[in-house]
Amino acid sequence: MDVLISVFVGLHIIGIASLLGGFLTQMKAMSAGTARFVPAMLHGALTMLVTGVLLVGFREMDGGHVNNIKIGVKLAVLFVILALVYVKRDEEHVEKALFGAVGALTVINIFIAVLWH
Ligand code: HEM
């Protein structure tokens, strides 16, 4: 089970890389107001959801516990990210503020994950 959990933490990190990496590639365009939600961002956000939910299950199966409030907050933040990226996925240009909000929420979720124990 430990190996399984570690593998899924690895996949969870690949998900963050895709979501945040996609955002970072668009930062210059964001300042010009021409950024778009690239497919890597949508797929990264979906990867976070699937691997995160499975990680909660694996931890519980292992007899351990997760911090439900922390997970609830991470899940709520991710839902907002996912909803925005999904709805606007086909738009050629996304407004600067909206695009920036998705990047900020992603970074917030990373710090919630590493600072809240
Ligand atoms: C953008 C969204 C998310 C980000 C940036 C993120 C980030 C991270 C990071 C950096 C870790 C490793 C550090 C740690 O163990 O705390 C982690 C672990 C974890 N995440 Fe996420 N996460 C996100 C969404 C979610 C969601 C939606 C869930 C569950 C529904 C979830 C469940 C978990 C669990 C259970 C672990 C701990 C694995 C273990 O037991 O060691 N995550 N997350």
Side-chain angles (χ1 to χ4, degrees):
M1 192 58 90
D2 278 354
V3 175
L4 191 65
I5 290 174
S6 301
V7 168
F8 274 83
V9 172
L11 294 173
H12 204 58
I13 288 170
I14 292 173
I16 314 174
S18 181
L19 174 59
L20 185 65
F23 171 80
L24 293 175
T25 63
Q26 295 292 298
M27 273 184 72
K28 200 168 177 191
M30 180 177 75
S31 341
T34 56
R36 65 168 299 157
F37 291 128
V38 292
M41 294 178 73
L42 179 60
H43 297 143
L46 284 169
T47 305
M48 299 313 294
L49 180 65
V50 173
T51 55
V53 170
L54 287 172
L55 275 169
V56 173
F58 295 151
R59 275 275 175 235
E60 299 282 342
M61 275 155 62
D62 205 22
H65 286 293
V66 292
N67 180 341
N68 285 320
I69 304 175
K70 170 181 167 177
I71 296 296
V73 172
K74 270 173 60 172
L75 191 57
V77 173
L78 181 64
F79 270 140
V80 177
I81 295 173
L82 202 50
L84 292 174
V85 176
Y86 184 76
V87 169
K88 302 270 180 184
R89 71 192 183 285
D90 287 331
E91 296 209 356
E92 302 274 330
H93 300 310
V94 177
E95 213 183 299
K96 201 191 270 192
L98 186 67
F99 199 82
V102 166
L105 289 172
T106 302
V107 171
I108 286 170
N109 247 8
I110 292 174
F111 284 102
I112 289 174
V114 294
L115 293 176
W116 185 347
H117 292 286

